[in-house]
Amino acid sequence: MKSHIPKPRMPGGANRIILRRTAVLMVLFGVLVFVPLAGKLIQLQILRHEELGRMAAENQTRTSSITPARGTIYDRNMNVLAVSADVENVCIDPNELALSGQDTDAIAGSLSSLLDVDKAWILKLMEDTGYRYQIVKRKVEQEEASAVRAYIARQNVTGVYLEPDTKRYYPAGTLAAQLLGFVGSDNTGLDGVEAAWDETLTGAAGRIVSAKGNYGSSMPYHHETYYDPVRGSSLVLTIDETVQQMLEKEMQEAIVQYDVRNGAFGVIMDVNTGEILAMATLGAYDPNRYAEILDLGTRQTLEEQHRHAILADGEERERLMAEYSTALAEARLAQWRNRVIADGYEPGSTFKSITLAAALEEGAVSLSDGFYCSGSTSIKGRSKPLHCWKSAGHGQQTTAEALQNSCNVAFANIGIRLGGEKLYEYVQKFGLTEKTGIELYGEASGIFFDEATLANPDSYASLASAAFGQTFKITPLQLIRAVAAVVNGGYLLEPHVVYQVLDDDGNVLEQHDRTVIRQVISQQTSRTMCGLLESVVSQGTAKNAQIAGYRIGGKTGTSEKIDVFDENGNMVEDKIVSFIGIAPMDDPKIVALVALDTPSTETGYYISGGQMGAPTVRDVLSGVLPYLGIEPDYSEEAANRAEVSVPDLTGMTEQEAETALSELNLTFRREGSRERITDQIPAAGAVIPGNSEILAYFGDIQPEETVLVPDVTGKNAQEANEILTAQGLYMKIVGAEGAEQTIVAVRQTPAAGMAVEQGTVVAVEFSDLSAQD
């Protein structure tokens, strides 16, 4: 039997096994090592590529934002109301200044001198090296910026920079301030059109990207990348700068004349389009310096309050400073407030036009109806009699006369005839319980009775007072829009102040046209109301709104402040007087409202819309109507008194002078015996009323150089003319006309006692003193 002897194993086999195992282990080890590394690489180079690239760029570069220029705001005639100009911010890098080893005290001193900034404050900014960016002064204009730039270059200063910015300018200063608003230090609109249209006006920011060193220091010889900012769109407003100026001028003069204590507000609107031609609140402020208090009295009060606070100690000082800060903030908010859209007020008798339009439309009253006023009447649900403003009463009146007389008793009964449900319905239709939709922030919607209160069958108290405009509040813009609907054919419009949006090349991006919300009354009712409102000016409480050559309509108003109380809890006696005027009444174009808040009782004028509001709107319309191209249409009598320019009569014979003057409805009185005229009063080119008499000198007689203006206040027109003519002066009649004993002169320009040349025209304002509503 053969034994099996196994073959011996070769040493090389073992080595191969070891090698294979080693290789496997190495591969496994390599995989184990590479997978995390590959994961990290994927994370860094793929997943976090954008993030790390951005971080690297931020570490190696400095990015400065470039503020875009805001769009320009124009009036309807492309006059600039708000514009941005290039300025610069002066900035420092405290970290770079510290690392550079420069003389920071010297740099702070130089910047202080160049920029008029406190040196100690600059040094304090420099000490905070944890910040890489601090602004020393914002919005530096080019002259100052050039001086800083020259200093940096001359002294080879690093760590001080200038960055581009823009600054908003309002060329007209206080004009239309509450409407335009203002922008803050970051060029963001904070009020008015600037805030409401901020996104449109702002544009897109640009930037400058530049290289920086290890410690954030600048590398001036490296490449910079500049990304242009995109300018904001511009706005063309419906506002007319000239009309705005006229409105504010007459409002300011009224504030002075009637010693108005709490400012004034006014608005002018195109009745057919809803375009706002002017909108003003006085006292105003300057949007170029919006944080400053413009009213002198308020500013002095605040300064005195601040002085007391800083002189106090400890907790008393803290308390007084807190009170001062609160008072300052309230004063700023008050002067920024656009009262035309933000404040409700009691409209008073101006609302009677709304009540009557609704009553005529519904057939609740007719022009043939009669109303008796004894001075008071009993109203169901009222504990006391309802008194008319005329305590003696108006007696028997037609519907037209009730409006002309602004009779509270008559209108309480008209409201009752119309009914609470219907009055409330028309209040809603006229838009008096909703915002008007004007494209501005901060609009209020007014406060009115609910329907149930007005329709209460057990009490007509609220219905009666609402019918003549008391015990509720609406905004001036709501009222003027409603009255526009009364006279424009019955159409309630959406008012607007922005006409167009323009791009940087002047192309029109948006345009806002007439927007009709609804028709409230018929065209026939509207035509009837036009005639009635015109009669208020020609025969009623608004005679002081008369303008020669123009058919003016409107309604006076005098209202109380029913929710304002004094320190003892008693209702104040302050009043708001107003007038809303429309012209021309044969084809209404514009409606104007002016309200004067708290006229003084010490001026000699009776506090009423007829005595104060109507003359103010008259003066506004006297300038606005001819400016807008609305020509006067004189009656024969008025045409004879229309102003004319005096021709040059020197060298003419008596016959030639008579012919030249008769064509202008002028006459002359002869002085001297020569054949030809050698001198005349007034001089050629003077503008005098028609029907006036020229003094013509035929010879060596020389006219007197000056005369003293006599006082004609309190006189009627005939008496005043006779007194002035006797002094060689001419009279121009302003305001109410008529033979009534209640129409007398209340003002004259030039004032009594002034020395003037013979031939001077004295403008005499006549007022109907019976206009007490």
Side-chain angles (χ1 to χ4, degrees):
M1 189 176 173
K2 293 182 181 179
S3 61
H4 178 70
I5 302 172
K7 295 179 180 180
R9 297 183 179 180
M10 299 301 293
N15 291 338
R16 281 194 296 273
I17 293 172
I18 293 171
L19 287 173
R20 282 197 299 269
R21 291 175 176 173
T22 301
V24 171
L25 290 173
M26 290 180 65
V27 170
L28 290 173
F29 180 76
V31 170
L32 291 173
V33 171
F34 178 76
V35 167
L37 179 61
K40 192 66 174 180
L41 289 173
I42 291 171
Q43 182 187 29
L44 295 177
Q45 296 188 357
I46 299 176
L47 300 179
R48 298 184 62 194
H49 173 75
E50 292 186 6
E51 176 191 354
L52 296 173
R54 184 173 63 252
M55 292 173 64
E58 290 175 354
N59 190 50
Q60 298 165 21
T61 60
R62 173 185 284 112
T63 300
S64 299
S65 177
I66 305 172
T67 304
R70 287 175 74 83
T72 302
I73 301 177
Y74 301 96
D75 85 332
R76 66 190 300 117
N77 299 312
M78 301 306 289
N79 297 309
V80 174
L81 298 177
V83 64
S84 292
D86 291 334
V87 291
E88 297 184 71
N89 297 329
V90 178
C91 315
I92 60 171
D93 183 335
N95 183 270
E96 183 175 352
L97 284 168
L99 293 172
S100 66
Q102 299 173 98
D103 186 347
T104 54
D105 186 77
I107 294 172
S110 297
L111 292 178
S112 173
S113 176
L114 292 169
L115 300 173
D116 191 25
V117 176
D118 182 55
K119 178 182 176 182
W121 184 72
I122 298 175
L123 286 171
K124 187 174 181 180
L125 292 179
M126 290 178 172
E127 290 172 1
D128 199 347
T129 57
Y131 286 92
R132 307 304 304 271
Y133 176 83
Q134 294 279 25
I135 295 179
V136 176
K137 188 174 183 180
R138 291 183 181 273
K139 302 187 183 299
V140 174
E141 298 189 9
Q142 290 306 313
E143 184 177 351
E144 274 188 321
S146 296
V148 174
R149 189 174 287 105
Y151 164 71
I152 292 171
R154 186 171 61 251
Q155 300 297 326
N156 196 27
V157 174
T158 60
V160 179
Y161 309 96
L162 290 100
E163 63 177 13
D165 198 354
T166 62
K167 183 177 181 179
R168 201 65 160 167
Y169 292 93
Y170 301 87
T174 61
L175 189 74
Q178 289 87 355
L179 172 65
L180 292 174
F182 54 88
V183 299
S185 58
D186 61 353
N187 295 302
T188 299
L190 298 179
D191 202 9
V193 171
E194 294 278 26
W197 290 81
D198 185 61
E199 186 175 346
T200 301
L201 290 163
T202 295
R207 54 197 174 101
I208 300 173
V209 181
S210 57
K212 65 181 181 180
N214 291 339
Y215 298 101
S217 58
S218 62
M219 301 176 69
Y221 302 107
H222 283 66
H223 176 71
E224 282 189 342
T225 303
Y226 185 92
Y227 298 90
D228 290 324
V230 178
R231 183 184 181 89
S233 298
S234 294
L235 302 178
V236 180
L237 303 186
T238 60
I239 298 297
D240 187 305
E241 183 178 38
T242 301
V243 175
Q244 183 78 26
Q245 289 171 342
M246 291 177 178
L247 175 62
E248 292 192 18
K249 172 180 175 292
E250 299 303 338
M251 286 170 59
Q252 185 58 49
E253 290 188 3
I255 286 174
V256 174
Q257 180 178 354
Y258 306 121
D259 190 20
V260 178
R261 305 296 173 83
N262 295 323
F265 48 87
V267 58
I268 301 176
M269 188 174 84
D270 185 317
V271 302
N272 298 306
T273 66
E275 294 178 349
I276 302 298
L277 303 181
M279 181 183 289
T281 300
L282 300 182
Y285 70 97
D286 187 345
N288 294 295
R289 302 185 303 275
Y290 61 87
E292 295 182 13
I293 303 301
L294 195 63
D295 180 73
L296 180 60
T298 303
R299 188 168 69 247
Q300 289 176 340
T301 299
L302 286 168
E303 289 172 352
E304 182 67 15
Q305 190 175 359
H306 184 256
R307 189 180 69 84
H308 281 301
I310 61 177
L311 291 176
D313 296 317
E315 292 182 359
E316 179 68 4
R317 175 175 178 146
E318 290 182 9
R319 183 183 67 80
L320 292 175
M321 284 299 295
E323 290 178 357
Y324 164 74
S325 297
T326 300
L328 177 61
E330 290 175 349
R332 285 173 175 164
L333 290 173
Q335 71 175 10
W336 297 341
R337 192 172 184 84
N338 185 345
R339 298 181 66 182
V340 174
I341 67 169
D343 282 6
Y345 81 113
E346 196 177 273
S349 294
T350 56
F351 187 78
K352 290 171 181 171
S353 58
I354 308 298
T355 301
L356 185 55
L360 289 171
E361 181 71 11
E362 287 297 315
V365 298
S366 69
L367 296 184
S368 61
D369 287 347
F371 300 90
Y372 182 77
C373 171
S374 64
S376 65
T377 189
S378 296
I379 298 293
K380 184 179 181 180
R382 280 183 66 107
S383 59
K384 297 179 180 179
L386 170 67
H387 293 280
C388 189
W389 65 266
K390 186 175 182 179
S391 58
H394 293 104
Q396 189 63 34
Q397 310 162 91
T398 64
T399 301
E401 289 170 337
L403 185 65
Q404 293 164 15
N405 296 331
S406 195
C407 178
N408 290 347
V409 169
F411 270 85
N413 283 288
I414 290 173
I416 292 170
R417 288 191 189 185
L418 177 61
E421 296 93 340
K422 282 297 179 182
L423 179 59
Y424 186 79
E425 177 184 327
Y426 276 89
V427 165
Q428 287 190 310
K429 285 183 176 180
F430 277 111
L432 299 174
T433 59
E434 63 190 21
K435 296 180 180 180
T436 67
I438 195 167
E439 59 276 66
L440 294 170
Y441 292 151
E443 184 182 10
S445 57
I447 302 172
F448 198 77
F449 299 100
D450 58 60
E451 184 177 3
T453 300
L454 287 185
N456 182 359
D458 298 322
S459 174
Y460 294 148
S462 296
L463 175 58
S465 59
F468 54 80
Q470 292 185 8
T471 62
F472 66 89
K473 287 186 173 185
I474 57 177
T475 69
L477 187 61
Q478 287 177 313
L479 176 63
I480 200 170
R481 178 174 73 151
V483 172
V486 169
V487 300
N488 71 4
Y491 299 100
L492 187 71
L493 305 175
E494 184 175 88
H496 56 282
V497 294
V498 175
Y499 174 52
Q500 290 178 329
V501 179
L502 308 178
D503 67 13
D504 200 22
D505 296 320
N507 300 310
V508 178
L509 302 176
E510 297 178 38
Q511 181 163 308
H512 301 163
D513 296 313
R514 180 176 188 253
T515 301
V516 177
I517 298 173
R518 66 183 74 94
Q519 185 169 8
V520 183
I521 58 174
S522 67
Q523 292 191 2
Q524 178 58 51
T525 300
S526 179
R527 283 193 293 270
T528 300
M529 286 301 303
C530 284
L532 292 171
L533 289 169
E534 184 177 5
S535 74
V536 175
V537 175
S538 61
Q539 305 172 54
T541 59
K543 288 179 184 175
N544 296 328
Q546 294 173 1
I547 305 173
Y550 291 99
R551 293 174 60 179
I552 308 297
K555 188 67 195 74
T556 55
T558 306
S559 59
E560 299 174 342
K561 296 184 178 182
I562 57 175
D563 58 352
V564 180
F565 301 88
D566 61 21
E567 61 274 11
N568 298 316
N570 300 315
M571 192 172 77
V572 299
E573 296 183 358
D574 298 353
K575 290 181 172 62
I576 295 179
V577 299
S578 61
F579 179 71
I580 190 161
I582 309 104
M585 291 313 297
D586 54 331
D587 183 18
K589 295 288 195 302
I590 62 172
V591 56
L593 168 66
V594 170
L596 309 174
D597 189 347
T598 317
S600 171
T601 58
E602 301 171 2
T603 61
Y605 291 92
Y606 185 86
I607 296 178
S608 71
Q611 293 280 336
M612 298 172 171
T616 304
V617 173
R618 174 201 67 212
D619 293 342
V620 172
L621 294 179
S622 294
V624 169
L625 291 172
Y627 167 74
L628 294 179
I630 301 173
E631 298 294 332
D633 183 13
Y634 294 104
S635 64
E636 183 176 351
E637 182 182 355
N640 289 336
R641 296 197 308 272
E643 291 182 325
V644 295
S645 179
V646 177
D648 187 355
L649 304 179
T650 54
M652 290 186 181
T653 64
E654 185 173 345
Q655 183 61 45
E656 291 169 338
E658 185 175 343
T659 301
L661 293 176
S662 64
E663 295 176 354
L664 299 172
N665 197 37
L666 297 173
T667 59
F668 73 92
R669 175 160 56 91
R670 180 185 180 117
E671 291 288 341
S673 57
R674 290 193 180 182
E675 183 179 348
R676 294 185 179 273
I677 296 174
T678 57
D679 207 344
Q680 67 185 76
I681 292 177
V687 177
I688 62 174
N691 270 344
S692 296
E693 183 181 70
I694 308 298
L695 187 58
Y697 291 93
F698 290 77
D700 298 329
I701 302 173
Q702 295 297 318
E704 295 181 28
E705 291 186 0
T706 60
V707 295
L708 296 180
V709 178
D711 185 358
V712 298
T713 55
K715 308 296 183 183
N716 62 35
Q718 181 179 346
E719 293 169 338
N721 189 49
E722 290 174 354
I723 293 170
L724 293 171
T725 301
Q727 297 296 316
L729 302 174
Y730 297 92
M731 182 176 75
K732 175 184 177 181
I733 295 177
V734 179
E737 296 187 39
E740 296 94 330
Q741 292 182 347
T742 57
I743 298 178
V744 297
V746 294
R747 256 200 320 174
Q748 62 183 75
T749 306
M754 287 189 64
V756 299
E757 294 183 357
Q758 280 193 328
T760 296
V761 176
V762 179
V764 182
E765 179 183 339
F766 289 88
S767 180
D768 179 9
L769 301 185
S770 68
Q772 297 185 357
D773 184 61

